[in-house]
Amino acid sequence: LCTEGMYTGQFIYCGRKATLTVGNVLPLSSVPEGTIVCNVEAKVGDRGSFARGSGAFAVVVTHDEDKGTTRLRLPSGGKKTVSSDVRAQIGVVAGGGRTDKPLLKAGNAYHKYRVKRNCWPKIRGVAKNPVEHPHGGGNHQHIGMPSTVAKDRPSGRKVGLIGARRTGRLRGVKKTAQDKD
C-alpha cells in the first residue's frame, strides 16, 4: 500500500534488516513499541489485512517475547494480539481525510459506487409498494409493524433491525476499548 510521505522512485526495503523508515516492510518483532504501522498481516504471509483503508494506521502497543506475540491497537480502537513474525508497513496509509469532502451531487455518488458495487441509490422500504417490500404500502409512509425482526425469519421478511438485542438511542456513558483494558 502507498503510505503518507512516499514518493516516486523511492526504494522500499522489506525484511528483518530493513530500516525503520516510512514505506518499509518489517516483521513486528523488529519494530519498537509505539511505532505507527499499517497493512499488518493477521497470519504470517497473508500479505496484509489490518489498517488498510485510507488514512488508517495501527499502533504497536507491547511485545511479549516469551509467547512471541505483539499487541496492536487497531483503527477501530480495539486491541489485537498477533504473532511477532507477521509483517507490517511503517507509516500511515495515504489518502487520509478522503471522506471529509462532501460528494455534493448525485452524479458524484453514482460514479463513486459504480466502480464499487451495486449499493446505490438506497430506496427506503416504506417508499415502496407492498409487493416489493414488507414495509411498503399504506396511506402514509409508515412501517406499520415493529421494525425488529427475528434472526430465523425467511429471507424476504428479514428487513429492518435483524435480531436486535436493543433498539433506540444509546443513553449513558459509552465504554471505549481503552477503558475496558
Side-chain angles (χ1 to χ4, degrees):
L1 257 64
C2 181
T3 53
E4 203 100 8
M6 276 171 115
Y7 54 88
T8 310
Q10 179 183 351
F11 286 97
I12 294 167
Y13 298 100
C14 305
R16 217 167 276 284
K17 296 192 178 77
T19 56
L20 198 76
T21 51
V22 168
N24 285 358
V25 180
L26 288 84
L28 285 179
S29 53
S30 44
V31 172
E33 291 172 7
T35 309
I36 285 175
V37 293
C38 63
N39 195 16
V40 189
E41 294 180 327
K43 297 184 176 70
V44 179
D46 74 0
R47 300 162 83 189
S49 41
F50 302 131
R52 288 170 55 96
S54 57
F57 62 90
V59 182
V60 178
V61 182
T62 51
H63 291 297
D64 190 349
E65 274 89 17
D66 308 334
K67 293 181 188 161
T69 58
T70 300
R71 203 151 166 75
L72 296 169
R73 188 160 77 247
L74 298 177
S76 61
K79 294 200 172 73
K80 189 143 189 90
T81 308
V82 292
S83 162
S84 292
D85 298 332
V86 303
R87 294 170 297 172
Q89 200 169 357
I90 309 298
V92 181
V93 183
R98 175 176 53 87
T99 54
D100 297 346
K101 176 173 163 275
L103 287 171
L104 288 178
K105 56 182 193 171
N108 288 347
Y110 168 80
H111 289 297
K112 175 187 173 179
Y113 291 109
R114 188 175 64 96
V115 296
K116 290 177 182 289
R117 65 201 75 83
N118 183 22
C119 63
W120 187 89
K122 269 203 168 65
I123 301 164
R124 292 166 302 132
V126 290
K128 296 182 179 179
N129 292 319
V131 292
E132 290 144 2
H133 199 278
H135 296 167
N139 278 351
H140 299 283
Q141 284 194 4
H142 69 296
I143 295 177
M145 57 184 82
S147 58
T148 53
V149 64
K151 278 197 184 103
D152 55 4
R153 293 308 292 273
S155 56
R157 177 64 191 90
K158 209 163 159 186
V159 293
L161 304 167
I162 298 165
R165 291 203 168 87
R166 64 174 308 286
T167 62
R169 236 156 40 88
L170 287 166
R171 313 278 304 258
V173 180
K174 191 175 182 209
K175 289 261 197 298
T176 60
Q178 284 95 358
D179 299 340
K180 287 174 189 163
D181 289 346

